[in-house]
Amino acid sequence: MRIPATKTNARAERSTIAYGTRGHALDTHLYVQQAIDAGFRQIVTSGYHRKHYEAGVGVGWTHANNTASTSTHATHITAHTSSTPSIPIRRSDLYLQTMFVPHAVVDYQNYNDTDPFQQIPSPHVAGDNTNTIEEQVERSIQQSLLNLKTDYLDAVLYHQQQNRLQPYEDMLRAWRVLEGYVMDGTIRHLGMSNCHDPDYLRRLVKQDAKVKPTIVQNRFHRNRGLDVSMWAVWDELQVEQRQCFWVLTGNRFAWLQNAEWIQLAESKQLTGAQLMFAFLLSLGLTPLMGPHQLQHMQDDLDIANMYIQKPNIVFTDMDGADTERHILANILGMPTHCMKSPQSSSNNRNTTLA
């Protein structure tokens, strides 16, 4: 039995940056609550994934407060202070994104049978011995609605295992079920993770999808070419949000260890990590962040707000020689001739944090 979606027009839109829950395990509810209190509004998680605990997100957001103040144009967030009044967060204030993980994918984990997180009670949809991918999707979506304590999902991504894509026909069967949930208002947007094959994505968008993917989520790392080869494809297919993960973990050699990177960051009174995030925002990418410490959460929100308000306050020569961004691209091993101009990366700058 599907839970009918609430009929409302007051729903959050995607953010410039998003808070990811990968690896937070038992403490997911604490970090999510803290992230929302600090000002994050887009939360990215997954159901039935060995590195995510989706039920913790539901516990976290329902205990969070709307303690971040929003400007008239809803583009600036001020971090919580002790004097800020606490108002319970509304579901419509948040953009909750999750993933469907097929059983055939290595990341799949049935935490219904072996749930190490019993400290946080959550209802479960019965049955794991499903034989069809359609049944897998149905059970996953119903479980996500229960775990996230909601009657609608802002986005659901089809999860691929790194670069090992699932057979196209299997994926399409699952996509048809997800499309049905979009049609009845339970899901607002669809997307795909770990898809670095332009032909696979192009076939879905141009040939078969009734509801086209508007979000992609890929690893940002040199062993994937930093996904530069996909940028033109995303533009062609009108992918609206290009999420990237493993941004800091996979690029320590740059933001943490490279002297030229660190010197440029310090000259702008930024941390190396903040400069990395500003660089990605300037390319039209949405970095997924998952800090545990409140200070790091505030640092992430600060750089996003700075970029939203005035992009060239970070990179002062973006409209000219663009020397600073070329320096960072060279350090990362990114071909500079493929870099997007400030004008073509506007999709992120026009979105909001709350």
Side-chain angles (χ1 to χ4, degrees):
M1 178 70 69
R2 294 188 180 182
I3 303 173
T6 300
K7 301 303 181 183
T8 176
N9 293 323
R11 293 182 176 178
E13 294 304 320
R14 288 183 288 259
S15 299
T16 305
I17 58 175
Y19 189 81
T21 68
R22 181 183 174 92
H24 292 354
L26 281 169
D27 295 323
T28 296
H29 61 301
L30 300 175
Y31 295 135
V32 167
Q33 179 179 346
Q34 183 172 246
I36 294 172
D37 286 349
F40 281 92
R41 292 295 178 265
Q42 182 171 352
I43 309 298
V44 174
T45 189
S46 177
Y48 294 102
H49 191 294
R50 59 188 175 133
K51 296 293 178 122
H52 288 272
Y53 182 47
E54 188 180 55
V57 176
V59 174
W61 87 255
T62 53
H63 285 78
N65 291 310
N66 193 4
T67 50
S69 60
T70 311
S71 73
T72 304
H73 299 290
T75 56
H76 179 68
I77 294 293
T78 303
H80 167 65
T81 66
S82 58
S83 60
T84 308
S86 295
I87 304 171
I89 202 79
R90 299 170 302 177
R91 171 64 182 91
S92 58
D93 295 326
L94 301 175
Y95 191 97
L96 298 183
Q97 172 184 318
T98 190
M99 288 196 294
F100 161 66
V101 182
H103 292 189
V105 171
V106 175
D107 281 333
Y108 174 81
Q109 176 175 309
N110 178 14
Y111 45 63
N112 288 10
D113 293 338
T114 57
D115 186 352
F117 311 108
Q118 292 295 339
Q119 295 178 8
I120 307 174
S122 65
H124 291 302
V125 175
D128 184 47
N129 298 320
T130 51
N131 297 318
T132 70
I133 197 163
E134 289 89 350
E135 291 170 323
Q136 294 173 33
V137 175
E138 292 281 0
R139 185 170 65 93
S140 179
I141 298 304
Q142 293 302 317
Q143 187 66 58
S144 291
L145 292 168
L146 289 171
N147 286 345
L148 296 174
K149 302 181 185 298
T150 182
D151 57 7
Y152 72 96
L153 302 167
D154 291 291
V156 175
L157 273 57
Y158 182 102
H159 180 59
Q160 305 276 6
Q161 179 64 36
Q162 297 181 4
N163 64 339
R164 295 188 290 276
L165 296 173
Q166 293 297 293
Y168 183 84
E169 292 304 324
D170 288 347
M171 180 278 297
L172 186 58
R173 287 166 56 200
W175 197 266
R176 288 287 181 251
V177 181
L178 292 171
E179 288 177 327
Y181 278 105
V182 175
M183 300 301 183
D184 73 14
T186 303
I187 299 174
R188 297 177 62 200
H189 304 109
L190 297 180
M192 188 171 294
S193 73
N194 294 316
C195 182
H196 305 271
D197 184 336
D199 294 332
Y200 191 98
L201 192 60
R202 189 179 282 115
R203 180 181 176 187
L204 175 64
V205 173
K206 293 198 168 185
Q207 180 175 318
D208 294 315
K210 299 174 184 175
V211 178
K212 303 184 187 306
T214 58
I215 302 171
V216 294
Q217 182 190 113
N218 283 354
R219 187 184 302 268
F220 187 78
H221 191 259
R222 286 190 295 183
N223 67 5
R224 298 280 186 272
L226 302 172
D227 256 351
V228 170
S229 64
M230 293 295 292
W231 291 355
V233 178
W234 296 337
D235 288 341
E236 172 195 343
L237 303 180
Q238 299 181 327
V239 174
E240 296 172 4
Q241 190 175 55
R242 299 95 187 265
Q243 299 173 359
C244 49
F245 65 95
W246 226 46
V247 171
L248 297 184
T249 302
N251 297 283
R252 288 191 177 97
F253 72 93
W255 68 271
L256 188 62
Q257 300 169 354
N258 184 277
E260 192 173 14
W261 189 292
I262 295 170
Q263 183 179 11
L264 183 58
E266 290 176 346
S267 72
K268 299 176 179 298
Q269 298 183 311
L270 301 174
T271 66
Q274 284 180 311
L275 188 61
M276 170 68 86
F277 293 141
F279 180 61
L280 296 185
L281 291 172
S282 78
L283 297 173
L285 303 175
T286 298
L288 302 186
M289 306 164 176
H292 294 179
Q293 297 180 24
L294 179 59
Q295 183 58 58
H296 292 165
M297 293 179 183
Q298 292 171 338
D299 288 346
D300 295 346
L301 290 165
D302 285 346
I303 195 62
N305 287 321
M306 185 184 300
Y307 189 81
I308 289 170
Q309 294 175 69
K310 192 175 182 182
N312 60 9
I313 199 171
V314 180
F315 301 109
T316 56
D317 62 347
M318 282 179 67
D319 299 319
D322 209 8
T323 304
E324 295 172 336
R325 294 200 309 158
H326 277 69
I327 290 172
L328 301 183
N330 285 325
I331 293 171
L332 287 168
M334 177 184 292
T336 56
H337 70 275
C338 295
M339 284 176 55
K340 295 187 177 184
S341 67
Q343 289 75 23
S344 65
S345 64
S346 61
N347 64 295
N348 269 341
R349 292 208 304 273
N350 291 335
T351 56
T352 62
L353 291 179

